[in-house]
Amino acid sequence: MLPSPEEFTARIGSIRSRIAAACRAAGRDPAGVVLMAVTKTHPPEAALLAAGAGLHTVGENRVQEGATKRAACASAAPGLRWELIGHLQSNKARLAAESFDRVQSVDSLKLVRHLARAAAELGRPLSVLLQVNAGHDPAKFGAEPADAPALLEAALAEPSLRVDGLMTIAPLGATPEETMELARRTFAALRTIRDDLAARAGKPLPELSMGMTGDLEPAVEAGSTLVRVGTALFGAR
């Protein structure tokens, strides 16, 4: 069951307080961190709840689910941005390019080619983030850090793609303490990878999508510009 609008607003306030505290610790402006509502597995009403509370971006894991929800919400929340944050198979690239404002999970040369072709056929550029497995987690998707330069070069060479930055997901540890330490290392690694890639490519790559409900503080401290929050907003699925 979704929270009431009042409870949802209170939850947003709690998350924003956490973001603000992490920004203070890092000497950052909280305005530089976007809060994305992750609506995966929740009904379309979750996206409308987010839009009504002033959140402008929602994240979905599955292409078809996101496409269906976007269509259901189109008239009530026409300005809401939809971003794909889950793994994308190349055979669904066309639907992803049609249905999402940005794809955060671009992790292979093959996917770059398929998305670029789909965006070109649609006649509009597609914003993307390159997903990098900065934590070297075999359970996570993402390009290996050593492959990131070639992936960026390929994506930048496609006129129909706009590369905004990078995304990662931190590994889980055996204990909460280990999980937090892995998160710190992973997010610091992605920041370094981004800085190196930007210097080599001569492109700023401003977006760093990293951090979720349980690890948003180390993500913000490492430079995250977008945190992907579902559980703390909507409750456990």
Side-chain angles (χ1 to χ4, degrees):
M1 180 182 295
L2 293 175
S4 68
E6 295 76 17
E7 173 61 22
F8 190 71
T9 299
R11 293 180 184 183
I12 291 175
S14 177
I15 297 164
R16 291 204 187 281
S17 293
R18 290 174 60 190
I19 292 172
C23 283
R24 283 195 299 273
R28 297 185 60 196
D29 182 352
V33 183
V34 171
L35 171 58
M36 167 189 280
V38 177
T39 51
K40 64 178 184 179
T41 75
H42 292 292
E45 289 75 16
L48 297 180
L49 187 62
L55 298 183
H56 306 298
T57 308
V58 296
E60 284 286 331
N61 266 44
R62 297 180 183 276
V63 177
Q64 187 61 60
E65 182 181 347
T68 301
K69 286 183 192 175
R70 182 168 196 165
C73 298
S75 59
L80 192 61
R81 278 181 57 87
W82 294 77
E83 301 200 20
L84 182 66
I85 59 176
H87 181 61
L88 175 61
Q89 296 174 324
S90 57
N91 63 354
K92 296 180 180 177
R94 174 71 186 219
L95 181 57
E98 290 174 347
S99 306
F100 291 91
D101 298 293
R102 184 161 66 186
V103 175
Q104 293 201 16
S105 47
V106 178
D107 61 359
S108 71
L109 297 174
K110 181 180 181 182
L111 186 54
V112 164
R113 291 193 296 269
H114 280 260
L115 284 173
R117 185 181 307 120
E121 290 172 355
L122 290 168
R124 57 182 176 84
L126 176 66
S127 293
V128 299
L129 300 182
L130 305 183
Q131 183 175 357
V132 179
N133 189 0
H136 300 282
D137 183 355
K140 297 289 191 295
F141 290 104
E144 287 303 308
D147 297 328
L151 185 62
L152 175 61
E153 183 179 2
L156 290 176
E158 297 289 354
S160 59
L161 298 183
R162 188 178 72 197
V163 185
D164 295 336
L166 307 181
M167 183 269 263
T168 198
I169 304 170
L172 291 175
T175 65
E177 294 77 16
E178 184 184 9
T179 293
M180 198 59 69
E181 180 57 30
L182 287 171
R184 287 191 186 94
R185 289 187 216 161
T186 299
F187 300 146
L190 190 73
R191 171 68 179 266
T192 298
I193 292 166
R194 189 280 304 274
D195 291 348
D196 290 345
L197 289 175
R200 291 170 62 169
K203 180 176 173 57
L205 304 174
E207 199 82 273
L208 282 176
S209 173
M210 53 189 191
M212 299 185 287
T213 294
D215 57 16
L216 68 84
E217 283 85 0
V220 169
E221 290 167 10
S224 176
T225 60
L226 184 150
V227 293
R228 311 178 300 270
V229 178
T231 302
L233 286 175
F234 301 108
R237 287 179 290 277

